[in-house]
Amino acid sequence: MEPLNNKLTNKQRAAERYTQEQMRLLLSLRDMVKNEVRKEVARQMEMYNK
């Protein structure tokens, strides 16, 4: 029998999956925001340079 501290309960596993999914969503959201900011900065620079 494996030691208890090596066993994750189903709830712990679910919480871990949830946390990983949240992190993945946050990172993709961050990338989307970065891209939008880059586009907006480029647009503003073009307007400024006209």
Side-chain angles (χ1 to χ4, degrees):
M1 198 174 123
E2 62 180 313
L4 281 177
N5 63 359
N6 283 350
K7 280 190 176 176
L8 284 177
T9 66
N10 284 340
K11 275 186 182 175
Q12 284 170 317
R13 280 205 191 90
E16 181 70 18
R17 274 196 306 275
Y18 176 80
T19 303
Q20 286 173 353
E21 179 67 6
Q22 293 300 303
M23 185 57 68
R24 196 183 64 70
L25 288 171
L26 274 175
L27 290 173
S28 66
L29 185 59
R30 187 185 68 174
D31 286 343
M32 284 167 51
V33 170
K34 267 194 209 166
N35 289 335
E36 288 303 311
V37 168
R38 278 195 197 112
K39 281 193 272 187
E40 181 59 20
V41 168
R43 195 181 69 76
Q44 297 275 338
M45 292 294 285
E46 258 184 47
M47 301 227 350
Y48 178 77
N49 288 329
K50 276 186 178 172

